[in-house]
């Protein structure tokens, strides 16, 4: 069966499901391209307020297809470099996407699948979820931004343990460390992610986009630059229609209905 990303709508949330049944939802160029295309469609659709990314058949994503990687050793280096660029385009598209993206993880999130989950704004994990970057086990180094995401979130020694030793870490432990937002019973990650998405859908989309942009820039920005960015976003959001809607609703003790 062909590897693909399936798209479905759940109210104001678009659900993107990685499906590669023969290879435990392993990734490849066709999935990278489909992921970017799906986010572009969601970005241009005002009816979509959030995106949930999940995997089919009880597995989030097994990472790269080792058979494909082995075959690529017989190709020019540019072939694998181009493939990784496709993955990285998808990672960057998730990070820069102006709406919340939630990973709903059941089973394994391995290699680039782990990186993919880390690129999302929220992670909801089932209690059977296992996260691993075993690149070093097969003589490879990480891709997909995993080194960046983990070093931003966790102490250096723990990151070395995960990347150099290739050790597995469970969803419950990552919740304790603040990387996983919500832990659910097995089989419930998607439902919990949709519940989280709907609560985010009630908030002003322009404000969520501002927060995401500010957080993306914060790690590299100087304090004066970040303060200036916060000022500019605040003023823009105050004068947005939703600023008036939100303040008026709060003062009237009524729920806001943002546009």
């Amino acid at each position: 069966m062909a590897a693909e990303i399936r798209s479905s709508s759940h109210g104001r949330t678009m659900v993107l499901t990685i499906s590669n049944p023969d290879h435990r939802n392993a990734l490849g160029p066709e999935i990278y391209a489909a992921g970017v295309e799906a986010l572009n469609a969601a970005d241009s659709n005002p009816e979509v307020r959030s995106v949930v990314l999940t995997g089919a058949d009880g597995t989030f994503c097994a990472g790269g297809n080792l058979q494909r990687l082995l075959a690529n050793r017989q190709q020019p280096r540019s072939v694998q470099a181009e493939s990784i660029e496709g993955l990285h385009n998808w990672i960057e598209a998730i990070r820069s996407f102006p709406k919340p993206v939630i990973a709903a993880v059941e089973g394994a999130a391995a290699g680039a699948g782990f990186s993919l989950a880390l690129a999302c704004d929220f992670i909801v994990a089932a209690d059977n979820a296992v996260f691993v970057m075993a690149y070093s086990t097969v003589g490879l180094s990480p891709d997909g931004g995993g080194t960046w995401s983990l070093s931003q979130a966790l102490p250096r020694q723990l990151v070395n343990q995960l990347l150099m030793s290739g050790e597995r870490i469970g969803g419950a432990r990552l919740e304790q460390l603040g990387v996983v937002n919500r832990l659910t019973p097995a089989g419930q990650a998607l439902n919990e992610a949709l519940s989280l998405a709907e609560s985010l859908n009630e908030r002003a989309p322009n404000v969520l986009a501002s927060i995401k942009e500010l957080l993306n820039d914060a790690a590299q920005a100087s304090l004066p630059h970040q303060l200036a960015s916060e000022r500019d976003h605040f003023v823009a959001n105050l004068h947005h229609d939703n600023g008036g809607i939100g303040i008026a609703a709060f003062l009237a003790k009524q729920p806001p209905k943002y546009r």
Side-chain angles (χ1 to χ4, degrees):
M1 296 179 67
E4 62 179 352
I5 287 186
R6 302 199 302 259
S7 175
S8 60
S9 295
H10 293 255
R12 295 178 289 180
T13 301
M14 177 182 285
V15 176
L16 302 179
T17 303
I18 303 167
S19 178
N20 188 355
D22 295 334
H23 300 284
R24 298 176 64 238
N25 301 332
L27 301 173
E30 66 281 4
I31 288 184
Y32 308 148
V36 173
E37 183 180 354
L39 288 178
N40 287 338
D43 189 7
S44 62
N45 185 349
E47 299 300 317
V48 175
R49 292 286 186 96
S50 59
V51 168
V52 170
L53 180 64
T54 193
D57 303 321
T59 297
F60 182 72
C61 175
N65 184 326
L66 292 181
Q67 294 296 330
R68 182 175 60 83
L69 293 178
L70 192 62
N72 280 353
R73 282 177 45 80
Q74 310 307 315
Q75 302 293 323
R77 293 187 177 204
S78 60
V79 172
Q80 185 58 41
E82 184 177 349
S83 176
I84 292 177
E85 283 299 316
L87 169 62
H88 291 176
N89 287 341
W90 191 17
I91 296 292
E92 289 184 331
I94 292 170
R95 294 285 302 190
S96 62
F97 185 67
K99 304 172 185 181
V101 182
I102 303 167
V105 180
E106 301 270 355
F114 192 178
S115 294
L116 196 60
L118 290 167
C120 297
D121 303 304
F122 298 85
I123 301 176
V124 175
D127 56 15
N128 70 343
V130 176
F131 298 80
V132 60
M133 287 197 182
Y135 292 90
S136 64
T137 304
V138 293
L140 298 173
S141 54
D143 58 4
T147 56
W148 186 89
S149 295
L150 287 174
S151 65
Q152 295 285 320
L154 299 174
R156 178 172 171 268
Q157 286 76 12
L158 179 53
V159 176
N160 284 334
Q161 182 178 330
L162 295 174
L163 298 184
M164 292 188 181
S165 299
E167 293 187 13
R168 299 182 173 202
I169 190 167
R173 178 65 173 139
L174 286 180
E175 184 193 32
Q176 294 172 353
L177 292 166
V179 176
V180 164
N181 298 91
R182 296 186 183 181
L183 195 67
T184 74
Q188 294 301 311
L190 178 57
N191 288 338
E192 185 66 22
L194 288 170
S195 175
L196 172 57
E198 187 51 41
S199 70
L200 293 167
N201 294 344
E202 297 295 329
R203 297 182 179 272
N206 55 297
V207 170
L208 298 185
S210 282
I211 292 170
K212 186 163 181 176
E213 183 177 334
L214 287 165
L215 290 176
N216 280 340
D217 293 344
Q220 291 79 33
S222 66
L223 178 58
H225 177 86
Q226 193 70 4
L227 291 172
S229 293
E230 288 184 352
R231 176 201 63 213
D232 294 344
H233 279 277
F234 188 99
V235 171
N237 288 316
L238 175 64
H239 288 273
H240 191 283
D241 287 347
N242 283 334
I245 291 169
I247 294 171
F250 183 84
L251 293 175
K253 298 182 180 180
Q254 296 175 348
K257 294 183 179 179
Y258 293 113
R259 299 174 183 173

